[in-house]
Amino acid sequence: MITIKQVHTKKEFKAFVKFPFSLYKDSKYWVPPIISQEIKTFDKNENPVFNDADAYFFLAYKGEEIVGRVAAIINWLEVKNQGEKKMRFGWFDYIDDLDVSKALLDKVTEIGKQNNLEYTEGPVGFSNLDKVGVLTEGFDVLGTMITWYNHPYYVTHLEKLNYRPEKEWIESRFPFSNINPESFTKANTLIKKRYQVSVRNFTHTKDVMPYADEMFDLFNTSYASLASFVEITDIQKAYFKKKFISFINPEYIKFVFDKDDKMIAFAILMPSFAKVLQEIGGKLFPFGFLKLLKAKKESKDIIFYLIGIAPEYQNKGITAIIFNECYETLKDKNIENCIRTPELADNIAIQQIWKHFDPEIIKRRKTFRKEIE
């Protein structure tokens, strides 16, 4: 007998966040979230996304034991402004029991019906800066703090419940030794001169902050054409600055400006925290915070988190400037491996940017969709 209960109390939210810790306790590849930060993500008083979104959180029980969870999400900016009548679902985890996954998704569908939505899609988060997709390949590769991991049976469940693939993302990596600076150094000099652009580098996080809002504006414009993009609102910017930028070594943030001092491109790289997060088990105290700070400075694996270029400067070689700046920094840090975050499989333009580095695809992930009848 499966019982589905909606999450309301602090105790229940903590159980919601901690369920995967038991589900993946024997996994070498699952990377736990920071528990306190994950709970804040679901707090309407902390996360401004709730100004434009509704979310319902559910736990599945067999008797007294938690056996699954799901978040049912409606992003009203997406529904009203884009006319995309989508019921999102995310944070979707469950034991290998089809009755459990079905009961959870039935709850998602029920909420979609109540709000006159047309289809469900997931796993996705609230916005494009959240995690996305169920892993379909790469189960034996260590995850990252910005992606979900899952058991192989997740895909089987979705297929048996008549969900069909909607979008696909790929993740890849390449050793730093693959980077041949000759592929961009000459172009870097020429492009800077041709378009009269300049680069700004940083050593202190406080120096990054005055430019953060402009960066998020550029993120909105440079990613607007991608499927299912939902813009970051002004009120969300402060939240994301606090949530993300504190985890990034400021030396890994690169901004490019035109002759009028307008930002036209950015790159954000992150140290890999995966191994440290496994070690601290999602807890910042008593020593987790210090270990994260150490990894922030010393990790030899780097994640290319976000690159954005203003539409009018795309296909004009600006990536040569970004790669040149990143290369110089990563060389000084003795970085060994470069990891790319999920990129849409049909985004050929972004894949062409990386071809000189001979990346290896290490993971694939998909979202799944089902019409609401």
Side-chain angles (χ1 to χ4, degrees), residues 77-337:
L77 291 176
E78 181 175 52
V79 175
K80 294 176 180 177
N81 296 356
Q82 300 179 12
E84 197 70 42
K85 295 191 174 182
K86 176 165 75 179
M87 182 75 226
R88 293 170 167 243
F89 65 90
W91 289 273
F92 185 39
D93 293 289
Y94 42 93
I95 64 169
D96 192 5
D97 183 331
L98 194 64
D99 289 338
V100 174
S101 52
K102 181 180 185 302
L104 288 165
L105 288 172
D106 283 349
K107 265 296 178 191
V108 175
T109 301
E110 179 185 314
I111 293 170
K113 279 184 180 178
Q114 291 168 358
N115 287 277
N116 300 310
L117 302 178
E118 295 175 354
Y119 68 97
T120 61
E121 184 186 352
V124 292
F126 297 99
S127 74
N128 296 74
L129 287 177
D130 287 316
K131 300 175 183 180
V132 67
V134 63
L135 197 63
T136 59
E137 294 179 21
F139 301 103
D140 58 350
V141 178
L142 181 65
T144 69
M145 74 177 295
I146 52 178
T147 55
W148 280 312
Y149 182 81
N150 56 266
H151 292 302
Y153 62 76
Y154 280 37
V155 178
T156 306
H157 282 226
L158 287 162
E159 290 172 344
K160 285 183 177 179
L161 294 169
N162 298 315
Y163 282 74
R164 59 179 174 82
E166 176 70 354
K167 302 178 189 74
E168 182 179 32
W169 287 259
I170 59 173
E171 296 170 52
S172 61
R173 70 181 173 203
F174 54 91
F176 182 75
S177 57
N178 275 20
I179 302 177
N180 179 3
E182 291 179 5
S183 65
F184 49 75
T185 48
K186 186 176 180 181
N188 164 65
T189 304
L190 291 172
I191 299 299
K192 278 182 177 176
K193 187 175 181 180
R194 178 180 299 168
Y195 298 111
Q196 299 178 54
V197 301
S198 59
V199 178
R200 214 151 292 173
N201 291 301
F202 304 93
T203 53
H204 301 288
T205 301
K206 65 179 176 63
D207 297 327
V208 176
M209 290 303 184
Y211 302 99
D213 285 354
E214 189 176 2
M215 183 202 72
F216 283 121
D217 288 338
L218 181 54
F219 172 80
N220 281 339
T221 56
S222 60
Y223 281 76
S225 62
L226 293 182
S228 294
F229 180 79
V230 182
E231 70 173 23
I232 297 170
T233 63
D234 288 343
I235 198 169
Q236 289 172 1
K237 292 173 188 174
Y239 172 75
F240 284 126
K241 279 188 282 189
K242 183 179 177 182
K243 182 175 181 179
F244 289 117
I245 293 181
S246 62
F247 276 96
I248 301 168
N249 186 328
E251 294 171 89
Y252 293 155
I253 296 176
K254 311 294 180 182
F255 294 153
V256 183
F257 295 84
D258 68 9
K259 60 183 174 60
D260 298 318
D261 209 32
K262 177 186 175 184
M263 189 184 297
I264 61 161
F266 67 87
I268 298 180
L269 286 64
M270 291 181 66
S272 175
F273 293 104
K275 292 175 182 176
V276 172
L277 287 169
Q278 286 183 329
E279 184 182 342
I280 67 176
K283 297 176 182 177
L284 288 178
F285 299 101
F287 304 114
F289 187 72
L290 294 174
K291 291 180 178 180
L292 285 170
L293 284 177
K294 188 171 187 288
K296 179 178 174 179
K297 295 178 181 178
E298 300 179 6
S299 175
K300 299 304 176 189
D301 295 339
I302 201 77
I303 297 171
F304 280 81
Y305 181 44
L306 284 175
I307 293 178
I309 300 173
E312 64 270 26
Y313 279 92
Q314 291 174 10
N315 302 315
K316 290 186 176 179
I318 299 298
T319 51
I321 299 172
I322 291 172
F323 286 150
N324 188 71
E325 295 298 322
C326 292
Y327 176 78
E328 294 300 326
T329 300
L330 300 185
K331 182 177 66 173
D332 290 344
K333 298 288 185 183
N334 297 314
I335 295 300
E336 296 173 0
N337 293 295

